[in-house]
């Protein structure tokens, strides 16, 4: 008799047919995401001769003006940004901007320079020993290039950004469906089975002494449940970086708008001979506003009327990676705009930290370890899921075909009996 097509059977079929076509893409995305979690720590370890410095006994850094001058004289360009490391044994980063002569010519469309050629710049980051002023080299190394490729594969599958972003963004939606449908299938079909302790043991335990098919099934079921929350968060935040419409609606659902990082505020230039405030004084002002130990990044203005945009954030084993921002007048150090993370609403905090939420950096090294494990489990799910499907398919092919017997025929007497060896004919 034909069985009814139940809701659970529908979810099972959808879980299968969404999972199969997306398996390879999700495997690549999860694998590259796992590799990228500790890219900063790995890079600093492999290229420690560039990223790390020897801390002298007095441990007093040279003035920023002197360090900037050394970089400009040796490399020739405009200092566009400076990053002061949180830890004493880390090199500082100086971004040097130069005119990009290889860029395609474009014309300005707005402002007083409309119709004139647009000047495009490229920025090269250099690592500098803050105690000696020695330029330790370009921040671009074989290790950073490797992780840049890993990131490009994770976000765009090494394709053109628009096409690759659509594919990976869509795959993130498929992952979200797979996590939810997988959770539904994880629960027993009948509510009365929820009281059965045997079910809960099977749902949380991996049977290592069974067949490899049972081991594979338990790994998919149990590990998928353990990583459910974190993989779901990754899937929800992933499309934020792929689709503008999703970014706007994601922010709108939280009662805010996407973070605008453009700095259009102007400094008050009172006289033509007025000089910008010393950068060390700017940093001192920032540390008064945000009195905690952390890295400080200064985005310097391009001209005499621009302002200085500053970011400050802390890092540690269990430390919030949230960024505090402030915009300062380059001449007086006056606060033009204050963007304190603690003052934001819950929705604004989520939008401001969506990158850290996606990568697991939000609560420092502790949360990165958890995300690394979760991403590793997520990498295994397409593989174990594929083998579950393959095993079921082989089992279905191996089953003998059963021929139906009419209800009014007695199966025991429908065929003549074979005579016994020594029996005489009647």
């Amino acid at each position: 008799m034909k069985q009814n097509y139940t809701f659970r059977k529908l979810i099972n079929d959808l879980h299968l047919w969404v999972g199969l076509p997306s398996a390879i893409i999700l495997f690549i995305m999860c694998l590259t995401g796992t590799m990228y979690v500790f890219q900063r720590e790995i890079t600093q370890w492999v290229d420690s001769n560039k990223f790390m410095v020897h801390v002298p006994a007095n441990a007093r850094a040279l003035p920023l003006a002197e360090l900037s001058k050394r970089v400009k004289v040796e490399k020739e360009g405009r200092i566009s940004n400076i990053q002061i490391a949180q830890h004493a044994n880390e090199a500082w980063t100086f971004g040097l901007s130069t005119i990009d002569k290889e860029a395609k010519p474009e014309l300005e469309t707005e402002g007083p320079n409309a119709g004139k050629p647009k000047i495009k710049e490229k920025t090269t980051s250099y690592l500098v020993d803050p105690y000696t002023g020695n330029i330790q080299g370009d921040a671009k190394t074989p290790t950073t290039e490797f992780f840049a490729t890993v990131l490009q594969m994770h976000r765009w599958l090494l394709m053109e950004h628009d096409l690759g972003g659509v594919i990976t963004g869509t795959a993130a939606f498929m992952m979200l469906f797979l996590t939810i449908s997988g959770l539904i299938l994880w629960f027993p079909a009948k509510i009365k089975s929820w009281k059965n302790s045997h079910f809960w043991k099977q749902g949380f335990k991996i049977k290592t002494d069974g067949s490899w098919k049972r081991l594979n099934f338990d790994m998919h079921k149990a590990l998928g449940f353990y990583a459910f929350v974190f993989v779901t968060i990754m899937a929800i935040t992933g499309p934020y970086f792929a689709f503008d419409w999703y970014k706007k609606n994601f922010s709108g659902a939280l009662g805010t708008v996407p973070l605008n990082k453009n700095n259009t505020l102007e400094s008050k230039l009172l006289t033509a001979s007025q000089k910008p405030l010393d950068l060390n004084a700017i940093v001192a002002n920032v540390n008064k506003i945000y009195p905690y130990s952390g890295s400080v990044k200064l985005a310097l203005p391009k001209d005499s009327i621009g302002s200085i945009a500053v970011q400050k954030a802390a890092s540690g084993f269990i430390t919030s990676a949230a960024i505090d921002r402030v915009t300062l007048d380059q001449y007086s150090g006056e606060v033009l705009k204050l963007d304190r993370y603690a003052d934001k609403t819950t929705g604004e905090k989520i939008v401001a930290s969506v990158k850290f939420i996606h990568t697991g950096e939000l609560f420092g090294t502790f949360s990165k370890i958890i995300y690394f494990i979760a991403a590793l489990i997520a990498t295994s799910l397409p593989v174990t899921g594929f083998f579950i499907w393959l095993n079921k398919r082989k089992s279905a092919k191996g089953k003998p075909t059963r021929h139906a017997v009419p209800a009014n025929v007695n199966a025991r007497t429908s065929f003549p009996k074979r005579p016994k060896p020594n029996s005489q004919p009647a």
Side-chain angles (χ1 to χ4, degrees):
M1 186 175 179
K2 191 175 181 179
Q3 296 181 349
N4 293 330
Y5 195 73
T6 63
F7 173 75
R8 188 178 183 84
K9 184 69 169 65
L10 172 64
I11 295 298
N12 184 76
D13 289 347
L14 290 175
H15 188 83
L16 171 65
W17 295 114
V18 170
L20 280 178
S22 63
I24 294 177
I25 296 174
L26 290 178
F27 174 79
I28 293 172
M29 290 173 63
C30 293
L31 177 62
T32 51
T34 305
M35 296 168 64
Y36 199 78
V37 172
F38 288 104
Q39 58 87 19
R40 182 174 179 272
E41 289 81 357
I42 295 172
T43 300
Q44 287 186 339
W45 176 67
V46 174
D47 301 316
S48 59
N49 60 319
K50 283 189 175 183
F51 287 88
M52 311 307 288
V53 299
H54 170 70
V55 183
N58 55 0
R60 187 169 183 176
L62 295 174
L64 283 172
E66 182 177 342
L67 293 172
S68 299
K69 184 178 179 180
R70 291 193 183 193
V71 176
K72 285 195 293 184
V73 169
E74 186 170 334
K75 300 298 180 181
E76 296 183 0
R78 178 183 65 85
I79 300 294
S80 56
N81 64 78
I82 302 171
Q83 182 158 339
I84 302 170
Q86 174 180 341
H87 304 289
N89 63 338
E90 293 181 13
W92 293 5
T93 307
F94 285 73
L96 195 75
S97 294
T98 55
I99 296 175
D100 188 358
K101 297 179 181 179
E102 298 179 358
K104 294 181 179 179
E106 294 182 16
L107 299 178
E108 295 282 359
T109 57
E110 298 178 354
N113 296 323
K116 296 182 179 179
K118 183 183 292 184
I119 299 175
K120 290 190 175 182
E121 294 182 327
K122 61 179 180 180
T123 302
T124 305
S125 297
Y126 294 97
L127 297 163
V128 179
D129 186 329
Y131 308 109
T132 64
N134 177 51
I135 300 175
Q136 303 194 156
D138 191 333
K140 184 183 289 186
T141 67
T143 312
T144 60
E145 287 287 285
F146 168 76
F147 281 113
T149 303
V150 170
L151 182 61
Q152 290 173 8
M153 185 174 289
H154 179 77
R155 294 190 62 180
W156 306 293
L157 301 176
L158 298 180
M159 298 181 182
E160 192 272 328
H161 287 197
D162 291 340
L163 176 60
V166 169
I167 295 174
T168 57
T170 303
F173 286 125
M174 298 172 84
M175 177 186 280
L176 180 61
F177 174 80
L178 290 171
T179 58
I180 295 173
S181 58
L183 183 66
I184 294 172
L185 295 174
W186 182 86
F187 282 100
K190 297 179 180 179
I191 297 178
K192 64 180 182 180
S193 299
W194 293 17
K195 298 179 181 180
N196 189 340
S197 61
H198 179 67
F199 157 73
W200 295 104
K201 288 180 181 179
Q202 285 187 326
F204 292 107
K205 186 179 178 181
I206 298 175
K207 187 176 177 60
T208 56
D209 57 348
S211 66
W212 79 268
K213 292 181 181 181
R214 176 59 187 271
L215 174 65
N216 181 77
F217 179 80
D218 284 354
M219 287 178 64
H220 189 82
K221 184 178 181 180
L223 293 180
F225 176 81
Y226 288 131
F228 168 78
V229 172
F230 305 104
V231 176
T232 302
I233 292 173
M234 296 174 198
I236 292 174
T237 54
Y240 185 92
F241 306 100
F243 303 114
D244 287 335
W245 63 266
Y246 186 87
K247 181 185 293 185
K248 292 177 182 177
N249 285 279
F250 180 90
S251 304
L254 295 170
T256 184
V257 295
L259 186 65
N260 182 13
K261 298 180 181 179
N262 294 328
N263 179 22
T264 57
L265 299 176
E266 296 182 353
S267 296
K268 298 175 184 177
L269 179 59
L270 301 178
T271 62
S273 60
Q274 191 173 6
K275 293 184 178 180
L277 195 64
D278 181 74
L279 290 177
N280 282 87
I282 293 290
V283 174
N285 285 352
V286 173
N287 289 331
K288 287 180 182 178
I289 298 169
Y290 300 120
Y292 61 84
S293 177
S295 62
V296 177
K297 184 175 182 178
L298 299 90
L300 305 180
K302 292 183 178 180
D303 49 40
S304 60
I305 61 172
S307 54
I308 300 176
V310 187
Q311 299 178 5
K312 187 169 184 180
S315 62
F317 187 76
I318 305 180
T319 305
S320 173
I323 297 176
D324 287 312
R325 293 179 169 85
V326 61
T327 306
L328 303 171
D329 187 298
Q330 64 170 303
Y331 300 105
S332 64
E334 176 189 351
V335 176
L336 302 178
K337 182 181 179 182
L338 187 65
D339 189 6
R340 194 188 301 271
Y341 184 83
D343 295 338
K344 296 178 180 292
T345 63
T346 301
E348 290 172 339
K349 287 180 179 179
I350 293 173
V351 171
S353 303
V354 66
K355 176 179 177 290
F356 300 134
I357 295 172
H358 183 73
T359 60
E361 299 174 78
L362 188 60
F363 297 112
T365 306
F366 174 74
S367 58
K368 288 172 72 172
I369 292 172
I370 294 176
Y371 263 61
F372 175 82
I373 296 171
L376 195 60
I377 292 173
T379 305
S380 73
L381 294 179
V383 178
T384 54
F386 173 78
F387 279 113
I388 289 174
W389 169 77
L390 192 63
N391 291 332
K392 286 184 177 180
R393 191 179 181 192
K394 288 181 178 178
S395 298
K397 284 185 177 181
K399 287 182 179 179
T401 304
R402 293 185 178 181
H403 299 283
V405 180
N408 60 346
V409 177
N410 189 332
R412 293 174 59 89
T413 59
S414 57
F415 298 99
K417 293 183 178 180
R418 181 178 297 176
K420 294 180 179 179
N422 297 326
S423 62
Q424 298 293 329

